[in-house]
Amino acid sequence: MLRQASRLLSRSVAAGTSKSATARGFSTEVPSTIDSTFVESWKKVAPNMDPPQTPSSFMKPRPSTASSIPTKLTVNFVLPYASELSGKEVDMVIIPATTGQMGVLPGHVPTIAELKPGIMSVHEGTDVNKYFVSSGFAFLHANSVADIIAVEAVPLENIDASQVQKGLAEFTQKLAAASTDLEKAEAQIGVEVHSAMNAALTG
Amino acid sequence: MASTAAVPFWRAAGMTYITYSNICANLVRNCLKEPFKAEALNREKVHFSLSKWAGGKPEKPTLRSDTPGV
């Protein structure tokens, strides 16, 4: 019976992908309906068992792409150990992308941006919240949802300026003394991160 | 399509993105004020034992632990 199930599954999948190459929509566009062909084939093979649920049926559906630009940006800012902001509606965020500081407004072009060590600021009315982000990614979706993920993000007040200066001096010296490519790369990373923290504290 | 796009310096030196990202995060954690620094370093403690297998038998395990005496 299980052998039949895989044949039925592959038949329904093949029917789906025979359409154009972009048959799979983005997570913001695909409606959260269950595939009826699969459910019918399942019921024929195993009428007494419920069809298996997929992870997407347990998830809240993402907001769909509005036809007009929404007024607010929904931000999800997560770290490996905590969810800093979850579904927060803001006016603008400025993210430290590798291509420079990027301002994100509602209706921003869908983008995937790699982040460099720098300041991320969240603007809500007149409130501005700043975090120093160590590195990460920002996913901007067509429905004005921004998913920002970082490994480490701290409010600027938590950074110790004297340690930053010490670290900067130490890594500048290591960079001068480095011999192998790997040592140079590590020292370079140290210099970049500490310079960014320095600039964040003083700028 | 430019497959000769400029690679970041760390990838040119043979480092992966995860290694780069972890180094950045560690450097930021080391520059925090107390008590945030102690919290962050405590959070990142790991404890694991790794052993490679050869010929159906485990070889000598390597233990990496930040909690002494365990």
Side-chain angles (χ1 to χ4, degrees):
Chain A
M1 184 177 78
L2 291 173
R3 273 179 286 151
Q4 304 288 348
S6 63
R7 189 166 56 81
L8 290 167
L9 277 173
S10 58
R11 200 176 58 200
S12 61
V13 165
T17 53
S18 64
K19 293 185 215 133
S20 70
T22 52
R24 277 189 77 188
F26 295 115
S27 63
T28 51
E29 287 159 10
V30 171
S32 54
T33 50
I34 308 159
D35 182 5
S36 52
T37 333
F38 172 69
V39 170
E40 281 160 24
S41 320
W42 179 275
K43 287 210 188 319
K44 280 191 212 133
V45 178
N48 295 326
M49 279 167 63
D50 282 332
Q53 297 218 319
T54 53
S56 45
S57 65
F58 292 100
M59 281 168 56
K60 276 196 317 224
R62 287 218 137 195
S64 52
T65 309
S67 44
S68 64
I69 297 177
T71 48
K72 294 279 205 184
L73 183 69
T74 313
V75 175
N76 297 315
F77 180 31
V78 293
L79 305 170
Y81 51 86
S83 175
E84 267 304 314
L85 302 171
S86 174
K88 182 147 191 250
E89 304 239 324
V90 299
D91 297 322
M92 173 171 79
V93 293
I94 302 185
I95 54 176
T98 44
T99 50
Q101 296 284 112
M102 188 191 288
V104 182
L105 293 163
H108 196 282
V109 153
T111 312
I112 301 180
E114 183 192 338
L115 305 180
K116 65 176 182 217
I119 304 181
M120 191 190 88
S121 44
V122 180
H123 298 247
E124 168 68 32
T126 47
D127 301 325
V128 179
N129 273 332
K130 289 194 185 175
Y131 302 90
F132 185 85
V133 163
S134 70
S135 62
F137 287 92
F139 299 89
L140 312 172
H141 301 284
N143 55 3
S144 291
V145 171
D147 294 317
I148 304 170
I149 57 174
V151 180
E152 198 60 61
V154 295
L156 297 178
E157 305 86 54
N158 296 4
I159 305 180
D160 190 348
S162 57
Q163 295 198 22
V164 173
Q165 299 289 3
K166 233 178 25 164
L168 184 56
E170 184 193 329
F171 280 98
T172 322
Q173 200 223 355
K174 273 196 198 163
L175 185 57
S179 45
T180 66
D181 261 350
L182 192 58
E183 272 176 37
K184 278 196 207 127
E186 285 178 7
Q188 177 80 25
I189 296 174
V191 168
E192 271 184 21
V193 175
H194 284 96
S195 321
M197 279 197 276
N198 211 7
L201 292 173
T202 53
Chain B
M1 289 289 267
S3 49
T4 51
V7 289
F9 63 90
W10 38 268
R11 195 173 283 285
M15 206 187 278
T16 62
Y17 179 79
I18 296 186
T19 319
Y20 164 71
S21 191
N22 284 336
I23 292 178
C24 288
N26 276 323
L27 292 171
V28 171
R29 273 181 220 123
N30 282 332
C31 288
L32 293 176
K33 292 182 184 154
E34 297 293 341
F36 305 107
K37 184 169 176 178
E39 275 173 22
L41 294 178
N42 199 22
R43 190 200 314 135
E44 297 297 322
K45 282 192 180 156
V46 293
H47 175 92
F48 64 82
S49 158
L50 181 82
S51 51
K52 298 201 190 205
W53 287 64
K57 286 197 187 28
E59 295 174 352
K60 180 150 186 352
T62 47
L63 178 72
R64 156 101 190 264
S65 175
D66 295 327
T67 49
V70 176

